[in-house]
Amino acid sequence: MTSSSSPSQDTQNFAQNYTEGLRADALMEEDVAWSHEIDGEQLDRSERAALRRVAGLSTELEDITEVEYRQLRLERVVLVGVWTSGTAQDADNSLAELAALAETAGAVVLDGVIQRRDKPDAATYIGSGKARELLDLVIESGADTVICDGELSPGQLIHLEDVVKVKVIDRTALILDIFAQHAKSREGKAQVALAQMQYMLPRLRGWGQSLSRQMGGGKGGGLATRGPGETKIETDRRRIREKMAKMRREIAEMKTGREIKRQERRRNKVPSVAIAGYTNAGKSSLLNRLTGAGVLVENSLFATLDPTVRRAETPGGRVYTLADTVGFVRHLPHHLVEAFRSTMEEVGDSDLILHVVDGSHPAPEEQLAAVREVIRDVGATHVREIVVINKADAADPLVLQRLMRIEKHSLAVSARTGQGIEELLALIDSELPRPEVEVEALVPYTHGQLVARAHSDGEVISEEHTPEGTLLKARVHQELAADLAPYAPQASATA
């Protein structure tokens, strides 16, 4: 039997169910709102399970590079110089160059001081009293490195570090560090590594001075045979000498390849021109202007170390090679001169040197003297020289006039604007060695290779095409003169 409910009861049940439904909807909306507040946007199951990148925690690679650059490269340095001779302006210029070297190596120069002395102090380079004043300056500026404008002995290095309580390096170590940063080729890296080992060998120190190896056993055995054997520092020195010997052998092998190329140029009688000069004088810019070589050009010291050889032609069509060499600097470490001797031989084996000097430099005469000292060390004083005063567009006209009055065989140019380049090319053409034999020959058209050789290896004075062949008048070398002799007009008439 089915029971029926009254309308009033149904209405009451509907109202109750409706109210509960509203309450459930409200609770659901509240749960959804709460879940949005906690979990954010609701995603599919696969998306919720995926890895999610948290914004604001990623460190970009450039940020890491910037942090490392600040912490590892940009050392805060104080410069120290000893003024022993010359004027006060000379001492200031030397310290300014040291500051440029330090900035090239990646340091921030905080301050620079100069001590007037007859000669550097044997113990602390600047004297014990001035060393304590330097300590106060280091503490006040917050520097972590002191750079001395000179080459310090191992004893001076240790004693000065003991006083100032921070790292001390000298001019030689700074230049070696710059060379190590800029060397790109295998030969350049090997030469820099050899120079660094030569410099560090007498300066090894640290724990190795006290640690020693146990001496070998003897007849008696036991404690009687125990004693100091080879110290750790002696072991390190022996290993460095072995590495240096290996490095010299590798450089000698690389030198062979360079010598073969030179011999090939000599065999073909191709004249060679070497660009030498002070660092940052504009040698690479001049090479690019003359040959379009595309060598790196940068306003910094020792931007390019590896020599670059390019083919060039004179306005008259004569072929020659143009070599860009490593830049020189005042007090260039003899370790580098010795290690880079194979590279600097490009200067000694050349037929002409373009000695580039920065006309806008405060002391260009000092640059000329420093470069000529190195040229003398590598035995290239016999090579003819043209002094190229570069950066004429930025130089003081009075300085240019003074330099050109002192240097009789000189020319002012600007590698950046092209000023004076045409005159320089004409001067190179006139200064290059000329073939020694003047010939006149009627070369048959079937022997056109002789005419081509006269153009590439000699100097063609005149050329006329006749029905019988090419009537050639030129200056050539002995070998080509012998090949052209059968076609001389006298020989033809005799035949």
Side-chain angles (χ1 to χ4, degrees), residues 187-442:
E187 184 176 9
K189 292 179 180 178
Q191 290 168 330
V192 173
L194 176 61
Q196 286 180 319
M197 285 187 286
Q198 287 177 323
Y199 173 78
M200 289 302 299
L201 184 61
R203 292 171 173 81
L204 289 179
R205 54 197 173 93
W207 288 353
Q209 293 174 324
S210 56
L211 299 179
S212 62
R213 301 174 63 187
Q214 178 176 300
M215 195 165 62
K219 290 184 178 180
L223 296 176
T225 61
R226 296 181 183 272
E230 185 182 37
T231 61
K232 181 67 167 59
I233 196 169
E234 291 170 349
T235 306
D236 293 341
R237 285 174 178 163
R238 177 168 47 82
R239 289 176 177 172
I240 287 179
R241 290 190 186 98
E242 292 173 355
K243 288 182 180 179
M244 288 170 58
K246 180 182 178 182
M247 201 69 69
R248 287 193 180 97
R249 289 194 297 268
E250 292 180 358
I251 293 175
E253 293 172 0
M254 299 178 207
K255 178 183 176 181
T256 303
R258 191 181 297 278
E259 183 62 30
I260 290 174
K261 294 179 182 178
R262 289 200 197 102
Q263 290 176 357
E264 185 69 15
R265 294 199 293 267
R266 293 193 202 103
R267 187 177 66 83
N268 293 327
K269 304 294 183 181
V270 179
S272 61
V273 178
I275 301 177
Y278 214 77
T279 180
N280 205 31
K283 298 183 300 299
S284 298
S285 300
L286 185 63
L287 177 69
N288 291 342
R289 173 65 69 172
L290 294 175
T291 66
V295 178
L296 170 68
V297 174
E298 188 175 329
N299 185 23
S300 65
L301 307 184
F302 302 113
T304 52
L305 297 183
D306 303 317
T308 304
V309 181
R310 290 292 183 269
R311 180 181 181 274
E313 286 187 7
T314 65
R318 297 179 62 197
V319 176
Y320 65 97
T321 60
L322 197 61
D324 180 20
T325 60
V326 63
F328 303 147
V329 73
R330 185 191 296 110
H331 307 308
L332 188 67
H334 65 277
H335 310 292
L336 282 174
V337 176
E338 182 64 31
F340 278 78
R341 185 169 294 275
S342 61
T343 301
M344 294 177 181
E345 285 175 357
E346 293 285 351
V347 178
D349 290 344
S350 62
D351 298 300
L352 181 66
I353 297 176
L354 298 184
H355 185 166
V356 184
V357 60
D358 183 359
S360 63
H361 191 270
E365 292 88 354
E366 293 183 8
Q367 289 192 352
L368 287 167
V371 173
R372 282 171 177 158
E373 182 180 351
V374 180
I375 290 176
R376 185 169 57 252
D377 290 341
V378 298
T381 54
H382 63 282
V383 184
R384 283 179 291 181
E385 175 191 67
I386 297 176
V387 176
V388 181
I389 308 171
N390 194 23
K391 305 182 184 180
D393 56 321
D396 185 351
L398 295 178
V399 175
L400 292 180
Q401 293 176 10
R402 186 180 76 237
L403 285 174
M404 296 182 71
R405 186 173 60 253
I406 296 173
E407 300 293 337
K408 302 301 181 183
H409 205 47
S410 61
L411 185 67
V413 305
S414 172
R416 187 176 66 87
T417 64
Q419 172 189 344
I421 296 299
E422 295 297 330
E423 293 83 352
L424 177 60
L425 288 172
L427 187 57
I428 292 174
D429 193 4
S430 63
E431 289 294 328
L432 283 177
R434 298 185 175 278
E436 58 273 14
V437 182
E438 184 173 333
V439 298
E440 185 176 354
L442 182 61

Side-chain angles (χ1 to χ4, degrees), residues 98-120:
L98 185 67
L101 289 169
E103 291 172 358
T104 302
V108 175
V109 178
L110 302 178
D111 208 344
V113 293
I114 296 177
Q115 164 69 358
R116 183 72 169 97
R117 298 180 63 91
D118 293 334
K119 61 180 181 179

Side-chain angles (χ1 to χ4, degrees), residues 98 147-152 169-178 195 199 203 331-336:
L98 185 67
I147 304 179
C148 297
D149 190 17
E151 185 168 342
L152 272 61
I169 63 174
D170 57 13
R171 184 188 183 93
T172 300
L174 180 62
I175 295 176
L176 288 173
D177 181 71
I178 296 173
Y199 173 78
R203 292 171 173 81
H331 307 308
L332 188 67
H334 65 277
H335 310 292
L336 282 174

